[in-house]
Amino acid sequence: MTGHTPAAMECSWKAVLLLVLASLAVQYTAIRSFIAKPFTICRIPKHTGCGPGLAASCDPRPQPVTHILILATTRSGSSFIGQLLNQHSDIFYLFEPLYHVQTTLINTSLRFRHPPSAPASADGRRLLLGAYRDLLRSLFDCQLHDLETYIKPTPDNHRTQRLFRRGASKALCSPPVCAAWPPAPGGELDEQEQEVAAAERWEEGECVRRCGALNLTLAARVCAQRHHVAIKTVRIPEIGDLRTLVEDPRLNLKVIQLVRDPRGILASRIDTFPESFRAWKIWRNSGRKPYNLDASHLSATCEDFLNSAGTGLARPGWLKGRYMLVRYEDLAREPEKKTEEIYRFLGVPVDGNVPRWILNNTRGAGASGNHKYATVRDSAATAEGWRFKLTYDMVELVQNICNLTLTQLGYKMVNSPEELRNVSVNLAEDKIFLPFL
């Protein structure tokens, strides 16, 4: 065996050390060069044939993703406006995913936000809003697995039967997420034709029964193939609560704030949630105002509208190009025109599914069945229906509580029972709310 002198050993160790340092320098330079360049996630455009083994045909400059948030309150028509986006073949839509955050963090299914009355409730509100924002950021990036933290029982192998209102999302009820959905009669259909056929025939409950457990991994893959993601929520009170998301450079967030006449909201809540509004129902049926009437939900809703719309209409710089206020009454009265305005604000072309859905779902004689989230109805008549459901005394109370909000949003006061019932008088003024572009 050849011996090694101390000098030779010292030289070899120096050589090794120099090689290690040189390697680290190369890696550091490479990493710095990598992160210095703009980084984008390449989304696979639908029906392009782009996939494994076809990298050469993948467009490295994909269409910009639009992240859409419908900001609303309970019984304001948010299910209706959500469907106007859900029908689009290139929009991945989720209905109220924040429901799971609320029920998990506060272990209850409270439907309405009450004003904080103590420091503890204020802390809880901040915690809840922080969790909401974190989950929205993940979902807009199609990281649907982040929902699993809040779904109970916890999904098994990324599959769940418990996603709230899964049936309200066309993408989650159509191939390939729901392979069990049968093709429409008339021969073989391609994927897009199957999706359209399923959407035209689907009922929410039937979707859940037919499709079985939701595979969140597959759903996330479908989400990533769509160019736009839309989410509807009634759980964030004000646009100001979303500022960190609006200013997040990772998102291209556009917020549609939906408002409705508080008198119409109250009438709808009484009919939809009879247990929670028992005292209001007694007042309406008997004509006598109960001593234990709770109007806090109404004052909270009007306060949220006033503050949120006030922020949006003041047009702060951070909302430029990101905010649009929509009155439910305007949408119900002229659905085609208002839908075009919404899509123009979003910068998304309207596809054929949307006007077809509008035609089929705004000209009906009444609500489809008894489902509280039904959207098949005469939309204009529905918007005015509250005028025959509330007594004048009830309307007068709402007007006293929500006076500033009604004025801000362009809703006229009624001053007599006769004026209340006279539907020839339009209570939503011809007020134009232009998007902040």
Side-chain angles (χ1 to χ4, degrees):
M1 178 180 293
T2 305
H4 294 282
T5 65
M9 292 180 65
E10 181 180 353
C11 181
S12 63
W13 278 112
K14 286 183 178 179
V16 171
L17 181 60
L18 286 173
L19 286 173
V20 170
L21 291 174
S23 175
L24 289 174
V26 170
Q27 292 180 50
Y28 175 77
T29 303
I31 292 170
R32 286 292 300 246
S33 300
F34 176 74
I35 63 176
K37 296 179 180 179
F39 177 70
T40 56
I41 297 174
C42 180
R43 286 178 171 253
I44 301 176
K46 192 178 178 184
H47 306 307
T48 61
C50 180
L54 298 172
S57 65
C58 181
D59 183 358
R61 297 165 298 173
Q63 178 182 344
V65 177
T66 303
H67 305 107
I68 308 160
L69 185 66
I70 301 171
L71 184 64
T73 191
T74 311
R75 308 312 298 167
S76 62
S78 57
S79 295
F80 179 76
I81 195 172
Q83 287 304 316
L84 295 177
L85 301 177
N86 184 37
Q87 300 307 312
H88 197 288
S89 59
D90 208 15
I91 293 179
F92 185 88
Y93 175 70
L94 290 174
F95 181 105
E96 285 297 342
L98 300 187
Y99 163 86
H100 295 286
V101 181
Q102 185 186 51
T103 54
T104 298
L105 292 187
I106 63 177
N107 197 29
T108 183
S109 57
L110 290 176
R111 294 186 175 92
F112 307 110
R113 182 188 68 85
H114 294 276
S117 57
S121 62
D123 291 342
R125 181 180 183 273
R126 284 193 292 271
L127 173 66
L128 204 56
L129 287 172
Y132 287 160
R133 288 189 291 261
D134 289 345
L135 183 59
L136 284 174
R137 185 182 285 108
S138 295
L139 296 180
F140 279 131
D141 199 33
C142 294
Q143 297 175 29
L144 269 60
H145 290 145
D146 286 3
L147 265 170
E148 297 185 26
T149 303
Y150 302 105
I151 296 176
K152 304 302 177 189
T154 303
D156 181 21
N157 195 26
H158 307 304
R159 293 175 179 269
T160 181
Q161 296 271 16
R162 297 299 183 89
L163 183 69
F164 181 60
R165 298 291 306 281
R166 171 196 178 173
S169 172
K170 173 180 166 184
L172 301 183
C173 294
S174 305
V177 177
C178 179
W181 196 277
E188 293 297 321
L189 301 177
D190 64 24
E191 180 181 340
Q192 187 173 19
E193 291 170 332
Q194 284 187 44
E195 186 177 283
V196 172
E200 290 175 343
R201 295 179 293 114
W202 120 71
E203 286 287 340
E204 189 167 323
E206 186 179 3
C207 162
V208 175
R209 288 192 298 272
R210 287 179 180 268
C211 298
L214 173 65
N215 185 328
L216 289 169
T217 301
L218 182 56
R221 192 176 305 152
V222 170
C223 174
Q225 291 173 344
R226 303 288 177 98
H227 282 125
H228 316 289
V229 180
I231 297 174
K232 192 261 302 190
T233 183
V234 298
R235 289 172 168 80
I236 296 180
E238 303 173 18
I239 184 67
D241 296 319
L242 294 169
R243 181 166 181 172
T244 56
L245 286 184
V246 172
E247 294 182 323
D248 191 329
R250 295 169 292 180
L251 299 177
N252 177 28
L253 183 60
K254 299 204 173 186
V255 180
I256 301 170
Q257 181 175 3
L258 179 68
V259 297
R260 183 182 184 181
D261 190 322
R263 297 165 293 192
I265 290 175
L266 173 63
S268 182
R269 287 177 177 175
I270 292 172
D271 288 338
T272 308
F273 310 116
E275 290 303 314
S276 300
F277 287 83
R278 185 185 300 274
W280 288 89
K281 201 162 189 176
I282 291 172
W283 186 10
R284 185 176 67 180
N285 294 340
S286 68
R288 294 190 299 272
K289 180 181 176 181
Y291 72 91
N292 61 340
L293 189 76
D294 180 11
S296 62
H297 70 93
L298 193 59
S299 59
T301 295
C302 289
E303 182 183 349
D304 289 343
F305 276 177
L306 187 67
N307 293 335
S308 191
T311 299
L313 297 177
R315 301 196 163 197
W318 61 274
L319 274 182
K320 184 175 176 60
R322 307 290 183 183
Y323 179 81
M324 181 179 186
L325 180 71
V326 176
R327 290 191 307 187
Y328 170 67
E329 292 78 11
D330 298 331
L331 181 62
R333 192 174 298 116
E334 296 183 293
E336 294 89 352
K337 176 184 176 182
K338 208 66 190 176
T339 299
E340 289 177 3
E341 291 178 9
I342 290 170
Y343 271 91
R344 194 178 307 123
F345 160 69
L346 297 175
V348 178
V350 179
D351 72 2
N353 297 335
V354 178
R356 179 168 54 246
W357 186 90
I358 293 173
L359 184 63
N360 292 337
N361 289 270
T362 61
R363 301 290 183 264
S368 176
N370 295 318
H371 197 280
K372 62 186 177 183
Y373 299 107
T375 54
V376 180
R377 61 191 70 186
D378 181 337
S379 58
T382 299
E384 294 284 332
W386 65 267
R387 299 174 71 168
F388 296 93
K389 294 180 178 180
L390 300 180
T391 67
Y392 177 70
D393 289 343
M394 298 170 77
V395 169
E396 199 171 34
L397 176 64
V398 179
Q399 292 178 167
N400 289 335
I401 294 174
C402 301
N403 178 42
L404 293 177
T405 303
L406 290 165
T407 301
Q408 177 197 54
L409 299 177
Y411 295 118
K412 298 177 184 176
M413 306 290 183
V414 294
N415 300 304
S416 68
E418 293 74 26
E419 190 176 356
L420 174 62
R421 305 289 190 241
N422 184 6
V423 292
S424 65
V425 177
N426 182 10
L427 297 181
E429 298 174 1
D430 292 331
K431 193 168 184 177
I432 299 175
F433 297 96
L434 297 174
F436 181 25
L437 300 176

